[in-house]
Amino acid sequence: DKSVNVPYNVVFDLTSGDTIEHKAVLRWIKLISETHPDARLELVVYGNALPLFVKGKSIAGNEITGLAA
């Protein structure tokens, strides 16, 4: 039955310091958010990926701020 509303929950795990992977994960989160506004998304970041959230080191500071809003 297509009328059943199934929850859309995704947890992304990012440990790489590769900025290409950072951009890809942020792009996936943005696309899912746009196509499924009711989706519950979580990004877990640790290790070499931490600079993604460090002011002055992040390649995507504005994107992250926009997604958090």
Side-chain angles (χ1 to χ4, degrees):
D1 182 1
K2 291 185 180 189
S3 65
V4 175
N5 198 4
V6 178
Y8 193 166
N9 303 316
V10 181
V11 176
F12 295 94
D13 177 42
L14 184 61
T15 60
S16 171
D18 185 346
T19 57
I20 293 173
E21 289 187 31
H22 297 180
K23 290 177 184 178
V25 166
L26 294 173
R27 184 175 59 250
W28 296 332
I29 290 171
K30 181 180 179 193
L31 290 173
I32 292 171
S33 296
E34 290 172 351
T35 57
H36 298 279
D38 59 335
R40 293 177 53 200
L41 307 174
E42 185 173 330
L43 175 58
V44 179
V45 179
Y46 51 95
N48 292 330
L50 286 175
L52 178 62
F53 287 96
V54 176
K55 190 173 185 174
K57 292 186 179 183
S58 178
I59 53 101
N62 290 337
E63 289 178 63
I64 292 170
T65 302
L67 290 172

